[in-house]
Amino acid sequence: MSNNGKPAIAVQLYSLRHLSDSFADIAAAAAAAGYKGVELIHLPDHSGAEAKAVLDEHGLQAVSAHVPYQALAEDFSATVDFHRAVGNDLLILPMPDPDVRNAANAETWRVFGQTLNELGRRCRDEGMRLGYHNHAFEMAEYDGARAIDWLLANAEEENLFWEPDLAWITDGGAPPLDLVQKYAGRCPHVHAKDLAPAGENEDQMGLADVGYGKLDWDALLPACKAAGAECYIVEHDLPKDPVASVRRSREFLVSRAELM
């Protein structure tokens, strides 16, 4: 399976962050777990050329990257240059600033959507695409719509795509199947994450390896495919054994490849 030459299954390197402070060590761990594709974390201590050399050494390709809002808004040119050197063209905002994520009103999310629309236009002008990755708080409803709806409704599809995190959608009380279908065509990348049954894995933020929790992957994977998903990115925010966790999740997705 491939996504325009990119691996269709990748790992978010945040899952492996506790293994080492060395990007090279983390990249090596991703490769050891069987991955060819990775979603980058922010690497302020590396040039794009240095990061690309590490990826090449371990046979890895950046399918996308999580990029802090400040890096995009305040250091736009350098951020674009970094990712151009890496060979990555998908820049995804992983978390908004506290004043946005703690806002309990539609207006803040509407304005934030407009802000990202303009930022996404600038990315598009540079041959990049801007995306947004959700947590649970965007599932809260204000004035008859969820925060994620206010955000996406106020940015043009060509300027902002959505990277749905299926576990956080579920944790936020929203139906992931319905939301993926609602935004069909706007979700080229999907975060594959699972939730443990209530009371389990509490030392792992209540998360589970993909396929070993309570999400219905046999329904979700075909729905994601029908909605245009091109890449499934494994993430576990606090795994007990990071390499074993992401390897197990990858093996599960590979076993369901016919659904993807």
Side-chain angles (χ1 to χ4, degrees), residues 143-165:
D143 297 344
R146 301 184 189 279
I148 190 66
D149 297 318
W150 288 111
L151 174 73
L152 294 174
N154 284 280
E156 296 179 29
E157 185 171 336
E158 62 185 1
N159 292 336
L160 185 70
F161 68 88
W162 180 32
E163 180 182 63
D165 185 305

Side-chain angles (χ1 to χ4, degrees), residues 81-210:
D81 288 345
F82 174 94
H83 288 281
R84 190 170 283 135
V86 170
N88 169 54
D89 62 357
L90 299 183
L91 312 179
I92 301 170
L93 180 66
M95 176 79 78
D97 288 344
D99 61 335
V100 175
R101 66 176 179 262
N102 295 330
N105 63 81
E107 179 65 9
T108 298
W109 288 99
R110 183 185 69 80
V111 171
F112 189 49
Q114 294 173 341
T115 299
L116 294 188
N117 185 62
E118 175 58 22
L119 192 55
R121 184 196 60 76
R122 293 178 64 195
C123 288
R124 191 160 53 86
D125 287 346
E126 296 291 340
M128 303 278 171
R129 295 178 64 194
L130 181 65
Y132 183 84
H133 166 269
N134 68 276
H135 287 77
F137 53 80
E138 294 94 342
M139 302 305 117
E141 293 191 21
Y142 309 111
D143 297 344
R146 301 184 189 279
I148 190 66
D149 297 318
W150 288 111
L151 174 73
L152 294 174
N154 284 280
E156 296 179 29
E157 185 171 336
E158 62 185 1
N159 292 336
L160 185 70
F161 68 88
W162 180 32
E163 180 182 63
D165 185 305
L166 301 175
W168 286 144
I169 293 172
T170 306
D171 189 59
L177 199 62
D178 291 354
L179 281 181
V180 166
Q181 291 169 340
K182 179 177 182 178
Y183 292 104
R186 200 168 181 173
C187 307
H189 283 199
V190 172
H191 259 216
K193 182 185 293 179
D194 216 332
L195 295 173
E200 295 184 18
N201 292 4
E202 292 183 355
D203 60 339
Q204 299 181 62
M205 296 174 59
L207 301 173
D209 298 342
V210 178

Side-chain angles (χ1 to χ4, degrees), residues 65-86:
H66 278 190
V67 182
Y69 178 74
Q70 279 70 26
L72 285 164
E74 300 172 10
D75 205 5
F76 182 79
S77 294
T79 298
V80 167
D81 288 345
F82 174 94
H83 288 281
R84 190 170 283 135
V86 170

Side-chain angles (χ1 to χ4, degrees), residues 236-252:
H236 190 312
D237 294 51
L238 195 63
K240 188 174 294 185
D241 184 333
V243 175
S245 172
V246 300
R247 179 186 291 117
R248 193 179 188 214
S249 292
R250 177 187 170 277
E251 290 171 349
F252 171 79

Side-chain angles (χ1 to χ4, degrees), residues 13-21 26 41 236-239:
L13 294 181
Y14 184 77
S15 309
L16 302 168
R17 70 195 183 282
H18 289 143
L19 291 175
S20 173
D21 291 330
I26 292 173
I41 51 177
H236 190 312
D237 294 51
L238 195 63

